[in-house]
Amino acid sequence: MVQEEITPNRRYMSWPVLSLLVFITVIGFENIFYPFQNQGLSVVINWVILLVIYIVPYALISAQLGTTFTRADEGGGLATWMRRTLGDTWGYWTSWIYWAQTLPYLVDVSNSVIVALSWLILGDNTLGKRMSNLTFGLLTFAIILLFIVLENLFSRSLEVMSLIGGAAMFLMAVLFVALTAAGLAKGVHSATTFTWAAFRPHFSMHYFATTGLLIFATSGAELGATYVAQLRNPKKEFPKAMWALAIMTGFLVIFGSLALGVWFNANHLPDDLKMNGAYYAFSMLGKAWGWGKTLMYMFAGTQLLFMLAQLAVLIDASSRVLSADTAMRFMPKWLLQKNKQGRPVHSYIFTAALCLFLLLLSGTLPNINAIFNWLLNLNGIVSPYKTALVFVAFLALRAKADKFTSGYTFIKSKAGAYLVGGWCFVFTFICATLGFLPQEVVFGTTGWTHQLVMNIISVIVLFGFGFIMPLLARRDIAKENLE
């Protein structure tokens, strides 16, 4: 046995704590509103189907990859998996895609901070009437800049902020489901008639084009791999943590969506459900129990803390991932340069510049609600493309099984592993690609074409810079050789 494993003074993380830590970074209460608006009550059946054929396999695939690469000197996670199974170039591309796909979410989280503040201050949904698109964009960018400047301060309290904010958000979600069930028991009228017709899924182009948001809402199981080395017995405990993650996720998305059907008529949903739906829900819940707006204010405060913690995590991650794994070979030196405090200032500037690009692009939309929805839908494109790489790494691992030792094996049959891993990859990739099709505007209109062009331009810019960086790095090397 390795000496480190029996050192009594070493602090280990328990697998339940790990599962909670990953859960709060994977999904929040507000995530169930996005697919609910797109698919109505039929999303419940879709969640059940996805839980069985996608979410559980995804978590257990991450469990096998996580228990295979447990070296403490490696960063762990998706980039390490790709680098070890497919080589340095794949490791770089994974790092880049992982970083690029965080940027729309970074802007989206900053937007959510403003929305939470508006509900805390105004107590209603009048933000769009009181604030112009320009002001909304400037405030969003100011919040991003503030967190970049103060990143060191926030990173010191990162774990505490994440645990407190995430745990509070999970408790608010459980409270919402529990009080809704209790409300039904005492005679609260349901806004939706719960019949098979309401639940029946419609497998259409719209279904697959909006499923990218379901994948986005539940992706991130691979994040747990970065904590594998902190477990006492990673090979046994990490799979348990992934099972717990899948179960908690399933509970929230299924029962949370059912609870939404009680308060919202699934056939006539508000246009701003994605932006304000959670606040509406807690307002209606509080009114039904005779508590006024107390629950809404509790949620708004929780949401603000949760989003600030998420913002700190994203800024911290984006400042590190560009220099992770094999980046030194593929990135120009100026981007990796650090100041006296060891902070990669130029990567901060680059991150802020691309966020500003997204904000300027979104500013061409008609109102704040459209901006909020578009950024969410953009996450439903770029995030699943990142998730698809998890399954690429799994297929590569199983193809080279003789070279690696896994502490946990998901599907012992190689043919079965190829079938499940291949299915998950194809499904994820197709949903991400169909996500380019705008959903909140009518097909064929000027608005539809405008958002389609915005989606294409955004993805080309975010992922396209990944092609440019190695060229700039080669130019740096060529200059050094000439000197």
Side-chain angles (χ1 to χ4, degrees):
M1 184 178 291
V2 180
Q3 181 64 32
E4 185 181 67
E5 295 181 349
I6 59 175
T7 302
N9 293 328
R10 170 140 184 221
R11 293 180 60 187
Y12 292 97
M13 180 184 292
S14 67
W15 67 263
V17 171
L18 174 60
S19 63
L20 178 62
L21 186 63
V22 178
F23 175 79
I24 63 180
T25 58
V26 166
I27 188 168
F29 177 69
E30 77 285 352
N31 290 125
I32 63 175
F33 285 84
Y34 314 151
F36 188 80
Q37 184 174 40
N38 289 330
Q39 300 183 9
L41 205 57
S42 67
V43 78
V44 174
I45 302 299
N46 294 335
W47 277 127
V48 173
I49 295 172
L50 278 181
L51 182 67
V52 175
I53 67 174
Y54 186 83
I55 295 174
V56 170
Y58 170 35
L60 298 183
I61 283 171
S62 298
Q64 178 167 353
L65 286 161
T67 58
T68 303
F69 307 106
T70 59
R71 279 170 32 189
D73 60 332
E74 291 182 317
L78 186 53
T80 296
W81 300 344
M82 293 292 282
R83 179 171 59 82
R84 292 286 303 279
T85 56
L86 291 171
D88 287 352
T89 301
W90 276 95
Y92 159 73
W93 272 110
T94 303
S95 292
W96 181 269
I97 290 174
Y98 209 109
W99 172 78
Q101 63 88 35
T102 65
L103 298 186
Y105 190 47
L106 179 61
V107 178
D108 179 44
V109 169
S110 301
N111 284 345
S112 296
V113 168
I114 298 173
V115 173
L117 280 170
S118 75
W119 277 89
L120 279 171
I121 297 170
L122 303 173
D124 56 35
N125 65 344
T126 58
L127 175 66
K129 298 177 182 178
R130 296 170 181 264
M131 186 178 291
S132 67
N133 288 7
L134 177 61
T135 304
F136 187 67
L138 289 175
L139 282 176
T140 300
F141 190 59
I143 290 172
I144 294 172
L145 285 181
L146 178 65
F147 268 71
I148 286 177
V149 172
L150 302 178
E151 189 271 335
N152 262 4
L153 176 63
F154 290 124
S155 65
R156 290 171 189 156
S157 55
L158 199 56
E159 187 173 341
V160 175
M161 285 178 66
S162 298
L163 284 173
I164 293 176
M169 178 60 72
F170 180 61
L171 288 175
M172 291 298 295
V174 172
L175 181 66
F176 178 78
V177 173
L179 288 179
T180 299
L184 287 174
K186 78 166 192 170
V188 169
H189 175 70
S190 174
T192 304
T193 302
F194 287 81
T195 63
W196 168 242
F199 285 102
R200 186 175 66 247
H202 302 280
F203 297 106
S204 60
M205 181 69 75
H206 173 77
Y207 166 80
F208 289 104
T210 57
T211 298
L213 269 180
L214 276 75
I215 295 173
F216 161 64
T218 55
S219 67
E222 68 278 357
L223 292 172
T226 58
Y227 300 96
V228 164
Q230 297 182 36
L231 296 173
R232 185 179 296 275
N233 189 340
K235 294 182 178 181
K236 290 185 178 180
E237 294 181 334
F238 191 66
K240 290 180 181 179
M242 292 298 99
W243 266 113
L245 172 65
I247 292 170
M248 288 191 294
T249 301
F251 169 83
L252 178 58
V253 298
I254 293 171
F255 289 99
S257 297
L258 284 170
L260 292 185
V262 173
W263 303 107
F264 298 96
N265 184 338
N267 299 313
H268 300 284
L269 294 170
D271 291 335
D272 61 343
L273 187 73
K274 291 180 181 179
M275 184 168 76
N276 294 315
Y279 304 96
Y280 293 153
F282 277 101
S283 294
M284 290 185 285
L285 183 63
K287 183 178 179 181
W289 282 92
W291 299 338
K293 292 186 176 182
T294 301
L295 287 176
M296 184 277 290
Y297 282 114
M298 285 175 59
F299 174 77
T302 301
Q303 175 79 335
L304 180 61
L305 177 61
F306 182 71
M307 286 301 166
L308 289 174
Q310 288 280 68
L311 198 56
V313 170
L314 290 168
I315 292 291
D316 182 68
S318 64
S319 68
R320 299 175 188 277
V321 74
L322 290 182
S323 59
D325 281 305
T326 56
M328 295 299 294
R329 282 179 47 200
F330 297 93
M331 294 284 189
K333 286 188 174 181
W334 63 267
L335 193 62
L336 301 177
Q337 285 178 353
K338 297 181 180 180
N339 62 11
K340 295 179 180 179
Q341 289 75 38
R343 299 168 66 186
V345 178
H346 291 160
S347 72
Y348 286 159
I349 296 173
F350 188 57
T351 297
L354 284 181
C355 287
L356 181 59
F357 157 74
L358 291 175
L359 285 168
L360 292 173
L361 198 61
S362 67
T364 63
L365 294 170
N367 52 55
I368 290 175
N369 185 51
I371 292 172
F372 195 92
N373 289 343
W374 176 72
L375 281 166
L376 274 177
N377 293 337
L378 182 59
N379 280 298
I381 301 171
V382 294
S383 180
Y385 277 133
K386 174 268 299 180
T387 302
L389 295 176
V390 173
F391 308 118
V392 173
F394 176 69
L395 292 171
L397 174 67
R398 296 306 294 262
K400 302 176 181 179
D402 56 322
K403 297 182 179 180
F404 303 101
T405 301
S406 300
Y408 165 81
T409 302
F410 173 61
I411 304 180
K412 297 190 182 297
S413 164
K414 181 175 283 191
Y418 284 158
L419 180 64
V420 174
W423 145 255
C424 288
F425 170 77
V426 171
F427 179 73
T428 307
F429 189 85
I430 288 176
C431 289
T433 303
L434 290 177
F436 278 94
L437 303 176
Q439 297 303 316
E440 271 81 25
V441 283
V442 179
F443 173 77
T445 61
T446 302
W448 189 92
T449 304
H450 178 57
Q451 290 198 25
L452 176 64
V453 172
M454 287 173 63
N455 290 339
I456 294 172
I457 291 174
S458 299
V459 174
I460 288 176
V461 170
L462 290 173
F463 291 162
F465 269 108
F467 288 96
I468 298 173
M469 295 303 166
L471 299 178
L472 296 177
R474 289 174 193 167
R475 189 182 67 176
D476 287 346
I477 294 173
K479 284 183 178 179
E480 288 180 357
N481 291 337
L482 288 175
E483 294 173 359

